[in-house]
Amino acid sequence: MNGMSFLRTHLARLLSPHKFQPQAYDHVLRQEERKRNAFAKTCFYILANPVRDGLIKESERWPFCGAVIPGYPDLHPLDQDFWPLFWRLYTSSRASDASERKLPPRNSQETHVLT
C-alpha cells in the first residue's frame, strides 16, 4: 500500500481544499452481488455519489466517473449500449472455474485495514 500512501500524500495538495476520505470501504463482490441486476444497481449507486453529496444535480455531468475496459476507452456506464457489451466482454474473459470458487464467509465484526 506504499503506492496508495504516496498517491494520497502527493495528490492532497493538488486537490485542496477537497480531501480524501479517511479510509475507503471495499470488499470482494460475492456471488449474489455479481449477478447482472445487482452489479448494475451497485454501479448506479456509486455513480450517484456526487449527486447525493450535492456536488452536481445529475450523474451524467460528473467528469470523474466511468469505466476503463481494455479496448473500449470511451465506453461509459451511462451509455445505452454499455451493459450488453460489458456482460459480453465479462463472460468471454471470465475464468471457466470462477463460479466454483468458494470465498470465506463474511465476518461483519472484521475491520478491513490496508497495510
Side-chain angles (χ1 to χ4, degrees), residues 25-41:
Y25 171 78
D26 64 351
H27 72 275
V28 175
L29 294 176
R30 304 298 179 169
Q31 186 172 352
E32 281 299 311
E33 296 168 314
R34 290 191 306 262
K35 290 184 179 176
R36 290 178 188 241
N37 291 337
F39 182 71
K41 184 178 177 181

Side-chain angles (χ1 to χ4, degrees), residues 43-98:
C43 291
F44 290 127
Y45 176 85
I46 293 167
L47 288 169
N49 280 341
V51 175
R52 280 191 299 279
D53 259 0
L55 299 172
I56 55 173
K57 293 192 185 294
E58 300 169 359
S59 296
E60 294 83 6
R61 299 190 184 277
W62 189 245
F64 308 108
C65 65
V68 177
I69 298 176
Y72 301 87
D74 298 325
L75 192 59
H76 190 279
L78 296 176
D79 291 345
Q80 189 172 8
D81 60 343
F82 175 82
W83 290 104
L85 180 56
F86 172 85
W87 287 111
R88 191 169 65 241
L89 294 169
Y90 171 77
T91 302
S92 68
S93 67
R94 189 168 170 221
S96 59
D97 67 342

Side-chain angles (χ1 to χ4, degrees), residues 2 7 10-11 16 18 20 29 32-33 50 56 65 70 89 103 107 110:
N2 290 337
L7 182 67
H10 292 282
L11 279 180
S16 184
H18 307 290
F20 284 108
L29 294 176
E32 281 299 311
E33 296 168 314
I56 55 173
C65 65
L89 294 169
L103 296 174
N107 180 352
E110 182 181 339

